Amino acid sequence: MSDVLVRLTVNGQPREGRCAPRTLLVDFLRESLGLTGTHVGCEHGICGACTVLIDGEAARSCLMLAVQADGVAIVTIEGLMQDGALHPLQEAFREHHGLQCGFCTPGMLMTALDLLRVKPEPSEADIREGLSAVLCRCTGYHGIVKAVQAAAPRVRAGTS
Ligand code: FES
Ligand code: FES
C-alpha cells in the first residue's frame, strides 16, 4: 500500500510527513519527524515510555496509528524546554534525582505534566497512583515522586 501524508502540529509547529498507513505514531514521531526523545519500549501500551500529550492529554503513542493523529496537536519531550531553559518539571527531576538511565523519563515527564494539569496539588498517593502506569526499572520511584511534589507549586505558578 502506498504511503500516506500526515499533517499535524508538534510542539507548536506545523509538521508533516509520509508513512505507511500501518505506521505507529511513536515510529512516525521518531523516524519521519526525527523526534527521538519519545522512547519506544513495549509497543503494546504497558510501559508508558512512549507517552506524549495529544490535544493536551497524555496518551501512548504506540497505541495509535500515525494516520489517526492527522490534524491533532502533540507535545513531545522536545517541546518542554522554552527559550533554552528546562521546564520546571525537568528542573525538579534533575534536583531530586528523578532519573537514572533516563529510558522512562520522557514518558514519565509527559505523564507527570498531565497529572499536574488534572491535579495541580497532588498528594504523594496521587502522584504514586498517577505515575504507576509508567514503568521505571531504575529509581524505585522515590526521587520521581519527590520531583513531582517539588515541581507542583512551580508548575502552578507558571500556569496561573
Ligand atoms: S512503548 Fe508504548 S506503552 Fe510501552
Ligand atoms: S530511569 Fe531507568 S527506567 Fe526509569
Side-chain angles (χ1 to χ4, degrees), residues 113-131:
L113 204 55
D114 194 33
L115 172 69
L116 293 177
R117 178 183 65 83
V118 177
K119 284 198 175 189
E121 297 185 53
S123 65
E124 179 178 338
D126 291 334
I127 296 170
R128 289 191 179 277
E129 184 182 348
L131 300 182

Side-chain angles (χ1 to χ4, degrees), residues 98-105 108 135-139 144:
L99 67 147
Q100 289 181 24
C101 80
F103 188 81
C104 71
T105 310
M108 197 66 85
L135 303 184
C136 177
R137 296 172 188 83
C138 305
T139 64
I144 292 172

